[in-house]
């Protein structure tokens, strides 16, 4: 190699550019590949927040976690978990330091954009049976037509019995679908703005086309569909009022690309951070600081409701921890540090115009540290302080984590939020960290295995 010039040496010393992990540390490719096999299973097992909680509890129990009991006594290394209404979860490993020294909190969300059934969803039109839906979270509606959909959810029957529904995931199961126009007749539809390519009230899901055999019945196609649901689950039409049914892409998680470097799946926002956070939590044995790993619900609709971070359920949990040592909770909170672990928009070479290339996150450059989110001048953002940025970057660099910094798109191009501001509102130092995603909020999102692996490594180091 030719000797470096003085200028090249100085540039090396003073400037900064983020390396591509594939080039810089090719040995990580195999480690990342292995790690992501478990991640793909997590994605397939948890397509709703409830399923994620159920699967996470299964993993936690297997790893020695027990339900948290307020008022019990715990020692360093003890592992507990708490489930909030079946839709959010908190896991803790007690640390060596007193709680007053602060917690290490890692919060990810396990709800994803989808199509919820309306309370009165079933109808028949022109001898076809359908479900009416109301979309949940930010979707681009046109992306949800003509793809196979699966039906997931719970129904509370009149007798108090809870029935779990899952159709479209097992080999041989039927799936469901929203239709769209053929190009031959789409002339007028093509003139619509893209956001109205399919309109909200056009997201109607085909559930049947054969009639129940009885000329006296007014809506025989709907009746046959109801009969089949009744045979399988014992439910009636009125039970939909006591239900939460989510229609999600039926596609399973899979490798993408000839080199298999990417994972394609539904719901990677934000189950990619949920999985890496959960694995880091379970792999932590005797941490310095007590850990609080949160898998929360409702982020996609603004963290509302009592299973979302805008509610006090996490605060109450930390109050219960404070009570164990008989100290005011505020003394724990102000010394705590939180990673709000959520995805960011990866730079997309096909659509470069919406990104500012110097301040975007890229595939295969590691986990992305996001100082602030929000829109229109950081509005609605948690803007992390320089001191906290210093601490978190220090933790990652010490552990050899590949990380990058990124904003979500150009200034005034759009924006978004996370749970960060809700944790920060409890007087906790909080910053966003997560995985860059391509096609975020689409039925099939892409993430890089190397980025997933390095996010796990960052979370592990955070819990050291
Ligand atoms: Mn998210
Ligand atoms: Mn999201």
């Amino acid at each position: 190699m030719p000797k470096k010039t003085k200028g090249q040496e100085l540039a090396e010393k003073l400037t900064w550019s983020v390396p591509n992990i594939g080039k810089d540390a090719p040995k990580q490719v195999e480690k990342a590949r292995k790690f992501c096999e478990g991640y793909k299973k997590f994605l397939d097992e948890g397509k709703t927040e409830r399923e994620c909680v159920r699967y996470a509890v299964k993993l936690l129990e297997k790893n020695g976690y027990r339900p948290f009991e307020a008022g019990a006594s715990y020692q360093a290394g003890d592992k507990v978990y708490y489930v909030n209404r079946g839709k959010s979860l908190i896991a803790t490993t007690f640390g060596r330091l007193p709680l007053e020294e602060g917690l290490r909190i890692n919060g990810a969300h396990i709800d994803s954009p989808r199509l919820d059934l309306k309370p009165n969803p079933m109808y028949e039109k022109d001898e076809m049976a359908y479900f009416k839906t109301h979309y949940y979270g930010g979707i681009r509606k046109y992306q949800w037509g003509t793809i196979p959909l699966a039906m997931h959810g719970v129904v509370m029957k009149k007798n108090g019995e809870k029935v779990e529904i899952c159709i479209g995931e097992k080999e041989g199961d039927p799936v469901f679908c929203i239709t769209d126009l053929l190009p031959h007749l789409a002339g007028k539809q093509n003139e619509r703005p893209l956001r109205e390519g399919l309109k909200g009230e056009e997201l109607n899901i085909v559930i049947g086309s054969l009639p129940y055999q009885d000329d006296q019945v007014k809506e025989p196609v709907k009746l046959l569909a109801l009969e089949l649901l009744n045979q399988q689950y014992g439910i009636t039409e009125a039970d939909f009022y006591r239900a939460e049914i989510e229609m999600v892409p039926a596609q399973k998680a899979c490798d993408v690309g000839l080199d298999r470097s990417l994972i394609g799946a539904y719901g990677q926002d934000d189950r990619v951070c949920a999985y890496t956070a959960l694995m880091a939590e379970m792999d932590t044995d005797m941490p310095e600081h007590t850990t609080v790993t949160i898998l929360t619900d409702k982020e996609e609709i603004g963290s509302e409701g009592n299973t979302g971070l805008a509610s006090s359920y996490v605060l109450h949990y930390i109050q219960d921890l404070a009570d164990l040592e008989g100290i005011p909770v505020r003394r724990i909170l102000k010394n705590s540090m939180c990673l709000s672990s959520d995805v960011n928009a990866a730079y997309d070479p096909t659509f470069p115009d919406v990104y500012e290339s110097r301040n975007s996150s890229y595939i295969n450059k590691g986990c992305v540290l996001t100082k602030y989110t929000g829109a229109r001048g950081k509005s609605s953002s948690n803007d992390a302080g320089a001191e906290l940025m210093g601490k978190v970057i220090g933790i990652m660099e010490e552990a050899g984590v590949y990380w990058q910094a990124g904003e979500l798109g150009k200034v005034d191009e759009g924006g978004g939020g996370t749970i960060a501001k809700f944790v920060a509102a409890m007087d906790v130092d909080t910053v966003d960290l997560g995985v860059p995603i391509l096609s975020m909020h689409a039925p099939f999102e892409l993430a890089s295995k190397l980025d997933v692996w390095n996010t796990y490594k960052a979370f592990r180091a955070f819990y050291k």
Side-chain angles (χ1 to χ4, degrees):
M1 233 201 282
K3 200 174 168 291
K4 283 177 191 152
T5 65
K6 222 172 130 192
Q8 280 174 319
E9 269 174 16
L10 189 66
E12 217 167 81
K13 208 166 114 192
L14 297 186
T15 62
W16 168 249
S17 69
V18 185
N20 182 304
I21 311 168
K23 196 171 160 196
D24 214 53
K27 284 199 179 123
Q28 286 199 6
V29 170
E30 180 55 19
K31 282 184 190 153
R33 185 197 65 77
K34 271 197 193 136
F35 180 78
C36 286
E37 290 304 303
Y39 171 46
K40 283 187 283 183
K41 182 154 168 49
F42 181 79
L43 288 168
D44 291 343
E45 296 282 336
K47 287 198 175 177
T48 68
E49 56 283 2
R50 287 175 191 268
E51 291 170 356
C52 279
V53 165
R54 194 175 51 198
Y55 187 59
V57 166
K58 205 169 117 186
L59 295 178
L60 288 166
E61 292 262 0
K62 220 160 79 187
N63 281 273
Y65 287 73
R66 296 290 168 258
F68 173 67
E69 286 175 52
S73 82
Y74 293 105
Q75 285 161 0
D78 285 350
K79 288 173 169 284
V80 297
Y81 71 90
Y82 165 78
V83 173
N84 177 11
R85 296 169 173 86
K87 299 194 226 177
S88 320
L89 172 139
I90 306 176
T92 284
T93 304
F94 285 89
R96 302 191 305 271
L97 293 173
L99 292 170
E100 205 172 340
E101 299 290 325
L103 307 166
R104 288 284 166 96
I105 305 170
N106 189 351
H109 68 92
I110 48 177
D111 62 316
S112 294
R114 61 183 188 248
L115 304 174
D116 285 343
L117 292 197
K118 289 192 184 188
N120 180 23
M122 273 181 103
Y123 70 102
E124 174 171 338
K125 186 164 186 242
D126 304 327
E127 297 177 74
M128 297 276 285
Y130 292 93
F131 279 148
K132 289 299 292 183
T133 65
H134 194 140
Y135 63 97
Y136 171 98
I139 64 164
R140 306 191 72 194
K141 300 179 197 82
Y142 74 90
Q143 294 176 336
W144 291 71
T146 68
I147 59 165
L149 297 169
M151 178 179 178
H152 291 239
V154 297
V155 180
M156 297 303 299
K157 282 160 66 174
K158 198 172 181 177
N159 63 7
E161 188 195 340
K162 192 198 286 188
V163 184
E164 299 234 3
I165 292 183
C166 182
I167 306 173
E169 296 292 345
K170 283 197 304 286
E171 189 74 36
D173 265 8
V175 294
F176 308 91
C177 191
I178 293 164
T179 58
D180 196 358
L181 277 177
L182 60 169
H184 319 63
L185 296 178
K188 242 192 249 158
Q189 190 197 29
N190 284 343
E191 303 301 319
R192 295 181 186 178
L194 189 56
R195 68 172 179 279
E196 289 178 11
L198 284 174
K199 297 180 188 174
E201 292 294 353
E202 290 169 345
L203 297 175
N204 304 320
I205 299 176
V206 174
I207 56 169
S209 63
L210 288 176
Y212 184 85
Q213 295 295 323
D214 184 338
D215 291 344
Q216 301 307 304
V217 175
K218 228 170 69 197
E219 296 182 311
V221 182
K222 173 179 160 184
L223 186 64
L224 182 66
L226 261 174
E227 187 193 27
L228 292 168
L229 276 175
N230 183 263
Q231 282 167 358
Q232 200 173 347
Y233 295 106
I235 58 174
T236 68
E237 188 173 26
D239 288 327
F240 281 109
Y241 291 113
R242 291 182 287 257
E244 283 179 281
I245 312 275
E246 308 177 11
M247 304 301 289
V248 300
Q251 164 86 46
K252 300 260 195 273
C254 59
D255 292 345
V256 172
L258 292 168
D259 57 9
R260 297 178 173 268
S261 58
L262 305 165
I263 288 173
Y266 162 69
Q268 299 203 71
D269 173 8
D270 182 34
R271 291 172 192 140
V272 67
C273 294
Y275 182 72
T276 42
L278 184 68
M279 294 308 284
E281 164 65 44
M282 292 192 301
D283 291 343
T284 297
D285 286 327
M286 272 290 174
E288 213 173 336
H289 296 266
T290 295
T291 71
V292 172
T293 303
I294 306 162
L295 307 191
T296 195
D297 184 27
K298 293 287 184 281
E299 191 278 341
E300 294 294 357
I301 57 166
S303 296
E304 314 292 354
N306 57 11
T307 52
L309 250 281
S311 98
S312 299
Y313 83 92
V314 173
L315 177 63
H316 293 161
Y317 178 82
I318 299 174
Q319 271 165 345
D320 281 344
L321 293 181
D323 288 346
L324 297 174
E325 288 188 4
I327 53 172
V329 70
R330 63 176 185 274
R331 272 161 52 191
I332 298 181
L333 292 168
K334 75 172 163 45
N335 288 329
S336 295
M337 212 193 314
C338 174
L339 298 180
S340 157
S341 298
D342 208 341
V343 300
N344 201 334
Y347 176 88
D348 187 334
T350 301
F351 302 102
D353 293 354
V354 299
Y355 299 91
E356 195 265 280
S357 61
R358 279 166 299 276
N359 286 284
S360 293
S361 58
Y362 292 80
I363 291 295
N364 287 338
K365 293 196 172 183
C367 56
V368 49
L369 186 62
T370 305
K371 186 176 185 294
Y372 49 85
T373 58
R376 299 169 308 280
K378 302 190 181 181
S379 183
S380 260
S381 160
N382 159 66
D383 195 352
E387 295 85 349
L388 179 64
M389 293 297 280
K391 274 189 209 165
V392 173
I393 290 170
I395 289 170
M396 291 196 287
E397 290 191 335
E398 198 195 316
V401 173
Y402 282 89
W403 68 276
Q404 54 186 323
E407 282 194 46
L408 196 149
K410 272 182 182 165
V411 176
D412 291 342
E413 191 70 44
T418 63
I419 62 158
K421 64 173 184 173
F422 301 101
V423 185
M426 293 193 290
D427 190 23
V428 173
D429 281 331
T430 307
V431 65
D432 282 289
L433 185 73
V435 177
I437 297 276
L438 286 167
S439 307
M440 194 199 293
H441 283 207
F444 191 71
E445 305 171 307
L446 301 186
S448 133
K449 293 181 181 178
L450 284 167
D451 296 339
V452 176
W453 170 241
N454 277 276
T455 302
Y456 164 76
K457 283 180 59 165
F459 294 168
R460 276 287 279 134
F462 182 66
Y463 279 167
K464 210 172 79 186

